[in-house]
């Protein structure tokens, strides 16, 4: 019995992925170009699963290139597990670095908001802090 096909709107509904994003993923090769019934794309269960995989990977912050690599490694079965682990470990390191950056931003913003609340400064402490950070980090250029 042949697999039932679904239109792009149903694929979007089932995966929670925007139709334009689905088309974009097709253009860049993350999703294979589907067969068409007339001028309409026809998708199947494999497409639902693959798009779900892509969405989950993107939600975890993997870049499009990393998602492409993961898709390639997924086809490799158990032998590719070490490569997937290495890619995930690199991604985890990047996530931890971003978290550290966000914590620094949180401290800077908290201090600026407190300075604004104190009202001791005639100017805007946040604007002044932004100018100070820019000047200190600009290196004279």
């Amino acid at each position: 019995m042949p697999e039932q096909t679904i239109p792009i709107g149903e694929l979007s509904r089932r995966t929670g992925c925007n139709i334009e994003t689905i088309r974009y993923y097709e253009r860049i090769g993350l999703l294979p170009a589907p067969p068409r019934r007339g001028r309409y794309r026809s998708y199947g269960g494999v497409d639902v699963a693959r798009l779900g995989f892509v969405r989950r990977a993107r939600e975890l912050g993997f870049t499009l290139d990393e998602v492409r690599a993961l898709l390639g490694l997924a086809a490799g079965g158990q032998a590719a597990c070490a490569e997937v682990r290495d890619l995930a470990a690199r991604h985890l390191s990047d996530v931890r670095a971003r978290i550290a950056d966000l914590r620094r931003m949180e401290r800077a913003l908290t201090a600026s908001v407190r300075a604004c609340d104190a009202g001791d400064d005639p100017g805007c402490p946040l604007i002044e802090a932004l100018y100070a950070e820019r000047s200190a980090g600009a290196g004279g250029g």
Side-chain angles (χ1 to χ4, degrees), residues 21-31 51 54 58:
T21 303
I22 295 169
R23 290 178 180 142
Y24 174 69
Y25 288 164
E26 287 173 10
R27 280 194 306 274
I28 65 171
L30 284 181
L31 293 175
L51 184 56
V54 171
R58 294 291 289 151

Side-chain angles (χ1 to χ4, degrees), residues 4-5 7 14 19 29 32-33 60 70 72 74 76 85 94 118 122 125 132 134:
Q4 178 184 4
T5 61
R14 286 187 189 184
I19 289 173
L60 290 172
L70 286 169
R85 184 231 169 264
D94 291 343
R134 177 80 171 125

Side-chain angles (χ1 to χ4, degrees), residues 19-131:
I19 289 173
E20 287 306 314
T21 303
I22 295 169
R23 290 178 180 142
Y24 174 69
Y25 288 164
E26 287 173 10
R27 280 194 306 274
I28 65 171
L30 284 181
L31 293 175
R36 292 182 177 261
R37 300 180 86 185
R39 50 180 254 231
Y40 298 101
R41 294 168 166 91
S42 295
Y43 299 90
V46 172
D47 300 304
V48 173
R50 185 176 178 109
L51 184 56
F53 179 97
V54 171
R55 281 215 62 219
R56 284 188 293 281
R58 294 291 289 151
E59 287 169 355
L60 290 172
F62 285 99
T63 66
L64 293 174
D65 286 338
E66 289 170 331
V67 173
R68 188 174 284 110
L70 286 169
L71 285 167
L73 292 168
Q78 191 64 27
C81 192
E83 290 179 70
V84 171
R85 184 231 169 264
D86 291 344
L87 193 151
R90 286 191 304 274
H91 184 66
L92 178 59
S93 177
D94 291 343
V95 167
R96 287 179 173 154
R98 285 194 305 249
I99 289 170
D101 287 343
L102 288 170
R103 286 189 176 131
R104 281 191 293 278
M105 285 192 290
E106 178 187 31
R107 286 191 297 273
L109 288 169
T110 298
S112 294
V113 168
R114 281 190 186 134
C116 287
D117 288 344
D120 296 333
D121 196 330
C124 177
L126 181 55
I127 297 295
E128 291 172 11
L130 292 172
Y131 271 114

